Amino acid sequence: MKIASWMLLLFGAVLASPQKPNILIILTDDQDLHMNSMDYMPLVKVGGVMNKIPYVRYADESQKYITDEGVTLQNHYCTVAVCCPSRATLWTGHAAHNTNVTDVIPPYGGWPKVVQRGWNDNYLPVWLQKAGYNTYYTGKLWNYLHTDNYNRPPINGFNGSEILIDPWTYQYYEPHLTRNGRPPQSYSGQYSTDLIKQKALGFLEEAVSHQAPWFLTAAPIGPHAEIVVNRRDHSIDTTFPQAAQRHAHLFNDYKIPRDSSFNAKTLGAVSWIKSLQELNDTVIGYNYEFQRARLRALQAVDELVEALVQKLDDEGVLNNTYIFYTTDNGFHISQHRMVPGKSCGYETDIHIPLVVRGPGIEKSVTLDAVTSHIDIAPTILSLVGTPKQLDGKVIPLTGPTSHNFTSEHAAVEFWGYGDTEGDFATGKQLNNTYKGLRLTGQGYSLYYSVWCTNEVEYYDIKQDPGQMNNLASPASNQSDYILFNRPLSQVIPRLNALLMVLKTCKVTNLEGALDASYDQFFRSQPLVTYSACEMGYIRSAEGTSRWNVYDGTKESSVDSEWHPLHYGNDWSLFT
Ligand SMILES: *[C@@H]1O[C@H](CO)[C@@H](O)[C@H](O)[C@H]1NC(C)=O
Ligand SMILES: *[C@@H]1O[C@H](CO)[C@@H](O)[C@H](O)[C@H]1NC(C)=O
Ligand SMILES: *[C@@H]1O[C@H](CO)[C@@H](O)[C@H](O)[C@H]1NC(C)=O
Ligand SMILES: *[C@@H]1O[C@H](CO)[C@@H](O)[C@H](O)[C@H]1NC(C)=O
Ligand SMILES: *[C@@H]1O[C@H](CO)[C@@H](O)[C@H](O)[C@H]1NC(C)=O
Ligand SMILES: *[C@@H]1O[C@H](CO)[C@@H](O)[C@H](O)[C@H]1NC(C)=O
Ligand SMILES: *[C@@H]1O[C@H](CO)[C@@H](O)[C@H](O)[C@H]1NC(C)=O
């Protein structure tokens, strides 16, 4: 009797102790929002154009989705628009100027740079293990993780991992995986995304067999271009992504939406983009086919999502799992006359999908607040109850605060070159180093950037969604431009000063920042300038590292030295 009631108490306590939530991340590669690729994933997002297109199969009411079951963060941005640097910000919660992983290959980026900067020991999966999580990963993790260095040092942070290895990472029918650090195994002939699905399902099964909460990432390569590395001279060949056989016939009539930027030249375009020639019909036709191939490659990703969600449901853990669906960076094809590629600050490249479902998240809602990839790690750590001070902020996804949450800016940065892909690629486009500021709030939507050539861009995206009129250039149409009662001649220097102070603090309200009472503070700021176009983050090329910190009196200011690891703090300059 005594023992029985003691056992009952214990049993009751175990039942009552809330199990920490599980985290599943599905991370695609180079997925655009701008060309509406999400609308072609009926299992992720119901109600897109797919419902009007004959397709193999539609999602039905009984199936579990992502978008309709959760929140779409419709102003989500990557802060650096290329794979490896963006993944570094995602997994560390730090801005790229603090990770200093700024390229896909050494010396400025890739797996060796991640290791050298200590991030292999200090990133989300490691922090989650410390919080009691079992952690799993399958798919693409870092770039430049190849046959000779995949286990030097061992990849840290995972209880189980099956990670794609170069030089085959982007060959859809030639995947090679290292399982838990063992020598890479060839799966020649298998379709990469389907293989990653199988591996992810296997890890899910293992994860739910333990008591502990778990974290799993499935990172298929779709819809990234196919890349074949020539083993003799290490040259690379990029071409259409490959589809699974069952999807190869789809979308033959698809055409890229012709928005204002389609094959058009921006008034006052800068750097290498200003000299791009109009694309001829041959290239346009090729570009259409390129995007069709990307949409086909996404179908297997769509099925991967369904399989994982159904498995969670079958295991009875769906209602205690947060599912994040996102990508590393966006993509452009034909916009601004560009051949396929990324690495620009245009919306095509930085504005990306993020959809989250999970316990406490409202169904089928959208959030307007501006969020970015550096916010993901802090948000996950907060969801699992072990918050950590990082560069990013916590996105309140659950509870009443999520509706009231406002945030207006994303700080964008890039170093080095812009890569071009496909048959009409023109190699590395140099002079592609810039800092940008994306601001969206009540009544405005802006993008401001300073390039290493010291050219400046300013687009009023609310009236110019295609970013076709660079208001910072004399070549543009600036007639009577006014923002919050300020003429262009005052708006542009204010944005530059904001770009400078954003190295440490956060703007919550642009209208406030344009208030005349701050004029003196902003006039005293040094400007963001460059002295050279470097291939990586070379501080001496980026002008002053000292600037003024607002001390609360609106007039006076104190001098502050910026340190790369001086994290953005929580106080807001303008509230
Ligand atoms: C970033 O890394 C590069 C390459 O290792 C190095 O040359 C540069 O000084 C680093 N920048 C900073 C600010 O630490
Ligand atoms: C997962 O790895 C962590 C860190 O090494 C360890 O503490 C934990 O016991 C492992 N979980 C399992 C199920 O082995
Ligand atoms: C179209 O442009 C491409 C790239 O510049 C060029 O290689 C090709 O010859 C052009 N085709 C025609 C028909 O002009
Ligand atoms: C979650 O689902 C499981 C299995 O269907 C069920 O037993 C449990 O009560 C649910 N928990 C919550 C919080 O809804
Ligand atoms: C959120 O905003 C509503 C008005 O829209 C207000 O009534 C409520 O108090 C706010 N909640 C919080 C937590 O700030
Ligand atoms: C890069 O910009 C500099 C000006 O800062 C210019 O002199 C140089 O020609 C540019 N190089 C290329 C490849 O565009
Ligand atoms: C550009 O010019 C047109 C008139 O041709 C004008 O209506 C429009 O407002 C101008 N745009 C800007 C941003 O000044």
Side-chain angles (χ1 to χ4, degrees):
M1 189 60 201
K2 234 179 173 179
I3 292 170
S5 63
W6 173 82
M7 277 180 69
L8 208 65
L9 268 177
L10 185 70
F11 190 54
V14 169
L15 274 186
S17 77
Q19 169 82 320
K20 286 190 171 190
N22 310 307
I23 306 287
L24 169 63
I25 300 185
I26 296 146
L27 179 64
T28 60
D29 201 320
D30 286 359
Q31 186 173 0
D32 65 274
L33 202 52
H34 202 78
M35 294 177 277
N36 308 322
S37 68
M38 289 288 275
D39 286 351
Y40 292 80
M41 304 187 74
L43 301 173
V44 171
K45 180 183 176 184
V46 174
V49 297
M50 283 297 288
N51 287 353
K52 298 173 205 112
I53 294 175
Y55 179 60
V56 267
R57 189 160 58 81
Y58 294 110
D60 67 52
E61 290 303 313
S62 65
Q63 288 167 328
K64 307 292 184 293
Y65 319 111
I66 309 292
T67 310
D68 289 26
E69 291 289 328
V71 55
T72 299
L73 292 108
Q74 58 182 0
N75 287 310
H76 188 72
Y77 290 87
C78 60
T79 65
V80 45
V82 69
C83 314
C84 189
S86 183
R87 285 161 195 254
T89 67
L90 178 67
W91 297 129
T92 66
H94 288 301
H97 62 257
N98 284 332
T99 66
N100 199 12
V101 176
T102 61
D103 195 357
V104 293
I105 55 168
Y108 299 111
W111 162 241
K113 183 73 179 167
V114 169
V115 170
Q116 184 230 325
R117 293 283 296 183
W119 299 121
N120 184 42
D121 310 313
N122 190 21
Y123 69 142
L124 186 66
V126 171
W127 302 329
L128 286 173
Q129 278 185 331
K130 287 190 181 136
Y133 275 65
N134 290 328
T135 56
Y136 307 90
Y137 197 104
T138 183
K140 172 182 157 187
L141 179 61
W142 305 113
N143 296 63
Y144 211 78
L145 187 69
H146 56 66
T147 43
D148 297 335
N149 72 5
Y150 69 90
N151 203 21
R152 289 203 322 235
I155 295 166
N156 214 345
F158 301 111
N159 291 80
S161 62
E162 288 266 18
I163 292 173
L164 287 164
I165 293 293
D166 282 353
W168 308 277
T169 299
Y170 296 113
Q171 278 179 263
Y172 281 82
Y173 284 97
E174 204 59 60
H176 285 60
L177 293 168
T178 167
R179 181 175 180 87
N180 301 335
R182 292 204 284 274
Q185 184 182 336
S186 168
Y187 293 86
S188 187
Q190 294 196 36
Y191 186 64
S192 185
T193 304
D194 290 344
L195 179 64
I196 299 308
K197 176 174 73 182
Q198 291 314 319
K199 297 297 183 187
L201 289 169
F203 283 138
L204 259 187
E205 199 148 318
E206 188 190 327
V208 299
S209 75
H210 299 292
Q211 276 301 306
W214 51 263
F215 163 86
L216 165 67
T217 295
I221 54 171
H224 195 287
E226 169 101 0
I227 296 184
V228 179
V229 180
N230 184 327
R231 302 208 84 174
R232 223 165 296 156
D233 62 0
H234 298 279
S235 64
I236 64 167
D237 218 4
T238 58
T239 177
F240 302 146
Q242 307 279 306
Q245 295 298 326
R246 62 190 181 279
H247 301 131
H249 65 289
L250 292 168
F251 313 128
N252 289 324
D253 299 327
Y254 170 89
K255 291 190 166 71
I256 296 169
R258 289 194 172 234
D259 73 352
S260 60
S261 70
F262 187 89
N263 199 13
K265 185 174 185 172
T266 288
L267 283 173
V270 303
S271 197
W272 59 274
I273 297 152
K274 68 176 167 236
S275 48
L276 295 177
Q277 301 298 307
E278 191 169 10
L279 306 171
N280 63 29
D281 288 348
T282 311
V283 179
I284 294 289
Y286 175 86
N287 286 355
Y288 283 156
E289 191 54 28
F290 201 106
Q291 181 65 1
R292 285 174 201 137
R294 284 163 46 83
L295 296 177
R296 289 173 195 136
L298 277 171
Q299 301 312 302
V301 178
D302 205 33
E303 293 172 0
L304 171 152
V305 172
E306 179 189 47
L308 292 181
V309 174
Q310 281 184 348
K311 177 82 176 167
L312 292 171
D313 202 15
D314 292 347
E315 300 287 350
V317 295
L318 181 59
N319 60 7
N320 195 34
T321 302
Y322 288 101
I323 307 177
F324 288 69
Y325 182 94
T326 190
T327 190
D328 46 10
N329 51 260
F331 208 71
H332 56 248
I333 309 181
S334 307
Q335 295 82 18
H336 304 276
R337 298 182 171 175
M338 293 189 287
V339 297
K342 52 248 183 186
S343 70
C344 294
Y346 293 124
E347 288 294 276
T348 48
D349 296 25
I350 60 172
H351 187 202
I352 53 174
L354 173 62
V355 193
V356 193
R357 65 169 288 178
I361 296 182
E362 267 185 86
K363 293 184 182 194
S364 211
V365 295
T366 53
L367 204 61
D368 289 333
V370 175
T371 56
S372 79
H373 263 11
I374 61 172
D375 304 332
I376 306 273
T379 300
I380 289 173
L381 290 170
S382 164
L383 285 173
V384 310
T386 53
K388 191 177 174 74
Q389 173 82 53
L390 301 165
D391 288 352
K393 61 184 176 292
V394 173
I395 309 169
L397 295 171
T398 60
T401 51
S402 72
H403 287 293
N404 297 47
F405 173 57
T406 60
S407 165
E408 299 196 341
H409 86 270
V412 175
E413 39 196 4
F414 205 92
W415 291 267
Y417 55 91
D419 230 343
T420 53
E421 299 177 12
D423 284 3
F424 298 101
T426 48
K428 288 179 164 60
Q429 303 290 334
L430 300 177
N431 285 1
N432 197 57
T433 295
Y434 57 82
K435 290 185 199 306
L437 178 57
R438 183 72 177 88
L439 286 159
T440 295
Q442 275 297 325
Y444 65 91
S445 179
L446 314 168
Y447 180 72
Y448 173 81
S449 74
V450 178
W451 286 64
C452 60
T453 55
N454 289 318
E455 290 164 295
V456 177
E457 286 177 295
Y458 173 50
Y459 301 106
D460 188 323
I461 296 174
K462 199 169 159 60
Q463 59 186 62
D464 175 24
Q467 298 172 290
M468 298 309 294
N469 188 23
N470 174 13
L471 291 158
S473 161
S476 70
N477 162 17
Q478 309 174 336
S479 58
D480 304 328
Y481 185 81
I482 296 279
L483 181 75
F484 293 123
N485 299 320
R486 294 283 188 140
L488 199 57
S489 59
Q490 290 178 14
V491 169
I492 287 177
R494 180 63 50 100
L495 288 168
N496 188 301
L498 277 176
L499 191 57
M500 178 60 90
V501 299
L502 277 173
K503 283 173 172 176
T504 56
C505 54
K506 298 169 181 168
V507 181
T508 55
N509 181 297
L510 175 69
E511 193 172 4
L514 282 167
D515 191 280
S517 58
Y518 293 111
D519 282 359
Q520 190 182 329
F521 167 72
F522 277 111
R523 263 199 296 272
S524 72
Q525 287 299 339
L527 293 178
V528 173
T529 54
Y530 290 85
S531 54
C533 284
E534 295 287 356
M535 297 300 277
Y537 177 21
I538 306 303
R539 260 170 98 180
S540 57
E542 301 193 8
T544 180
S545 61
R546 301 180 81 83
W547 77 103
N548 299 320
V549 171
Y550 180 62
D551 73 357
T553 65
K554 296 195 179 184
E555 276 92 35
S556 58
S557 55
V558 287
D559 196 289
S560 159
E561 194 184 357
W562 183 60
H563 183 271
L565 281 177
H566 179 132
Y567 303 145
N569 55 28
D570 266 341
W571 58 266
S572 307
L573 190 49
F574 316 101
T575 45

